[in-house]
Amino acid sequence: MLTLKQSRRLQTVLLGGLAWLVALTIFFPIFWMVLTSFKTEIDAFATPPQLFFTPTLENYIHIDARSDYFHFAWNSVVVSFGSTLAGMLLAVPAAYSMAFFETRRTKSTLLWMLSTKMLPPVGVLVPIYLLFKDAGLLDTKTGLVIIYTLINLPIMVWMVYTYFKEIPKDILEAARLDGATPGQEIVRVLLPISKGGLASTVLLSLILSWNEAFWSLNLTASAAAPLTAMVASYSSPEGLFWAKLSAVSTLACAPILIFGWLSQKQLVRGLSFGAVK
């Protein structure tokens, strides 16, 4: 019969093994995509799939000759960071008012905002397309910043609201006694205290904006097209060329994966903000 110490050790080992299994399962598609990007088209279609092969850079050379990668990447950077900045400028004061000046309609307003995420994007495609056409926002980075801000704003408000609710109101009351205005309360008190939570909100918004494909494909052509549109352009009527598609997908995913990896400590700290008091 196992002792309590041995039982806990066994439980730790099993949970650790399960965590590794889940992590490897999630990571495997990314690993296989990168691996396939260095194969020839013949090797990519081989059955059974080949783990050992002669690597080649021909797919990346083809992409460099066909597409202006840095043009699409720059569009993704501008749109992602622009929509995140705009979203935070709106989400922080909105969450501040809901968290510290709560009314009987606050909960219903938050639920209404979240319910907009349940709406199929294609259901509002035609009116938004016509509005953008009349406003001259089609195939512009400004247009994508606006639409990305709108679709991510409900989640950003919810996250910031949750972090603000964990902050004791006594801190703000003390700031008010010192003569702080609402703007000073946000900038000098709330933001420094909740910077971990705000950082996780920023990172999540960046990831969501970077990965957004539906609106970029329908509202852009070439001038403002981000990396998601570049990836879609490699799907041709002749069929899917898996090696080239894997290569362009790797180039599209690499920047945000590297950014997420470098920011993982801040992300974990933000997601656990307020969990331990």
Side-chain angles (χ1 to χ4, degrees), residues 3 52 57 64 104 110 143 168 171 245 258:
T3 64
F52 300 100
L57 293 176
D64 181 62
R104 58 187 179 86
L110 285 168
I171 296 178
L245 192 58
I258 294 173

Side-chain angles (χ1 to χ4, degrees), residues 142-157:
T142 302
L144 285 185
V145 167
I146 293 173
I147 196 68
Y148 284 9
T149 301
L150 293 177
I151 63 177
N152 291 332
L153 188 59
I155 295 178
M156 298 174 73
V157 171

Side-chain angles (χ1 to χ4, degrees), residues 73-89:
W74 175 248
N75 287 342
S76 288
V77 170
V78 172
V79 171
S80 298
F81 281 87
S83 62
T84 298
L85 176 61
M88 291 301 292
L89 290 176

